[in-house]
Amino acid sequence: MASLAKRNSGLVQRRTEAIRSAAADKEKDSGGEEDEARRGEEDDDDKGDSKETRLTLMEEVLLLGLKDREGYTSFWNDCISSGLRGCMLVELALRGRLQLEACGVRRKSLLSRKVICKSDAPTGDVLLDEALKHIKETQPPESVQSWIELLSGETWNPLKLHYQLRNVRERLAKNLVEKGVLTTEKQNFLLFDMTTHPLTNSTIKQRLVKKVQDSVLEKWVNDPHRMDKRILALILLAHSSDVLENAFAPLQDDQYDLGMKRVHTLLELEPEKESAKPNANELMWAVVAAFTK
């Protein structure tokens, strides 16, 4: 009887030990998986060139327009306001939130087709989500041209003034401050003080400028439909916002002439024809048509 109890006791001890060992192994494995997942996330962050790739079209256009030391856009630039609203529409289209209504049998023109909300999933950007909310809730829908005017506040209808997105440049500049690209200062202009946002991370802007330059020089493909859609949109919208010249200013004369010549070949394209080609983003071409009509 005593020997049986002893054997049972030994069996229980071995089982207990085995359970503890298995639990320890499991904990070790799960810890290893967590460490590996954490390392994977860190690798993804390292891969990303994160700050540059996280910039929206609006932020990129504003960054091209900002004077590095002074921290504000040219007082003579009266195009950038509507250009930034066009950037919002294209950004939302590229993110799968907006699209144009079907062209129909009679094939409506780009500027007569209405903007439709395809998905109201949040983008994580306050300005984009605000614009998306307006577009989703508006019935009947409006055209691209109308939305650029409404979001800019350029409407004579007092019932539609609430669509205006206010302080867009300041809000975008604050986004860039949060991303470590700009800083915030106060500057005195004799009669008033103005908040400015000088460049603090020149590497990000240099990469942006080089990306624009390379797209029409070293990486020129002579076919807009083989170009990356975001870069194509950036070039066209930067021109509409009157800030594209800033990206080409540092170039040598021969490179400048070649780059601008290729930009003009893009500007001379007919949006109606380009939007009908396979895989074209119709809403982007509608925005281009609104600025070039």
Side-chain angles (χ1 to χ4, degrees), residues 57 94 211 215 219 221 223-235 284:
L57 284 172
L94 292 176
K211 180 171 72 172
S215 64
K219 297 180 181 178
V221 291
D223 179 1
H225 296 278
R226 289 171 55 207
M227 292 178 70
D228 178 84
K229 284 187 174 66
R230 289 189 68 86
I231 294 177
L232 176 61
L234 175 60
I235 292 171
M284 182 190 78

Side-chain angles (χ1 to χ4, degrees), residues 272-290:
E272 295 288 349
K273 287 184 180 178
E274 300 305 319
S275 67
K277 293 181 179 178
N279 299 320
N281 189 301
E282 292 182 316
L283 197 144
M284 182 190 78
W285 288 108
V287 170
V288 172

Side-chain angles (χ1 to χ4, degrees), residues 162-179:
H162 67 282
Y163 289 123
Q164 182 183 5
L165 298 181
R166 300 180 183 277
N167 304 317
V168 167
R169 270 176 272 186
E170 180 64 21
R171 291 163 73 181
L172 288 172
K174 285 181 178 176
N175 287 351
L176 290 169
V177 169
E178 289 175 6
K179 294 178 180 182

Side-chain angles (χ1 to χ4, degrees), residues 47-246:
K47 279 179 199 168
D49 193 15
S50 53
K51 288 188 177 69
E52 196 262 343
T53 53
R54 279 201 303 263
L55 298 185
T56 62
L57 284 172
M58 305 99 70
E59 291 165 350
E60 289 179 326
V61 166
L62 180 69
L63 192 53
L64 287 175
L66 279 175
K67 299 178 180 181
D68 293 357
R69 291 183 182 177
E70 293 86 344
Y72 53 83
T73 57
S74 170
F75 293 131
W76 309 109
N77 188 337
D78 57 356
C79 302
I80 195 168
S81 179
S82 56
L84 290 173
R85 272 65 174 189
C87 288
M88 291 177 195
L89 297 177
V90 175
E91 183 78 44
L92 286 167
L94 292 176
R95 295 191 186 199
R97 303 305 197 279
L98 298 180
Q99 64 183 18
L100 288 184
E101 65 176 348
C103 58
V105 178
R106 296 178 63 184
R107 190 143 193 96
K108 294 181 185 176
S109 68
L110 289 172
L111 293 180
S112 64
R113 291 162 67 183
K114 308 300 183 186
V115 179
I116 306 296
C117 180
K118 185 178 177 183
S119 166
D120 62 353
T123 64
D125 183 282
V126 176
L127 276 169
L128 290 177
D129 289 341
E130 198 174 327
L132 183 60
K133 183 173 182 288
H134 284 320
I135 294 169
K136 181 196 172 190
E137 294 176 353
T138 300
Q139 293 299 329
E142 299 277 0
S143 66
V144 161
Q145 180 72 55
S146 295
W147 275 119
I148 292 173
E149 292 170 358
L150 290 172
L151 295 173
S152 303
E154 297 173 1
T155 176
W156 294 103
N157 188 342
L159 299 177
K160 293 187 175 182
L161 284 174
H162 67 282
Y163 289 123
Q164 182 183 5
L165 298 181
R166 300 180 183 277
N167 304 317
V168 167
R169 270 176 272 186
E170 180 64 21
R171 291 163 73 181
L172 288 172
K174 285 181 178 176
N175 287 351
L176 290 169
V177 169
E178 289 175 6
K179 294 178 180 182
V181 183
L182 306 177
T183 188
T184 302
E185 293 180 359
K186 286 278 186 186
Q187 192 164 338
N188 182 270
F189 286 87
L190 295 179
L191 298 177
F192 60 94
D193 288 337
M194 187 174 86
T195 302
T196 60
H197 299 282
L199 186 69
T200 187
N201 189 333
S202 59
T203 304
I204 299 298
K205 183 158 185 178
Q206 286 168 5
R207 285 176 185 162
L208 173 61
V209 168
K210 190 170 190 320
K211 180 171 72 172
V212 174
Q213 293 173 353
D214 286 350
S215 64
V216 293
L217 293 172
E218 281 80 2
K219 297 180 181 178
W220 176 247
V221 291
N222 202 26
D223 179 1
H225 296 278
R226 289 171 55 207
M227 292 178 70
D228 178 84
K229 284 187 174 66
R230 289 189 68 86
I231 294 177
L232 176 61
L234 175 60
I235 292 171
L236 296 172
L237 290 165
H239 179 270
S240 301
S241 303
D242 198 18
V243 300
L244 185 61
E245 185 85 10
N246 298 346

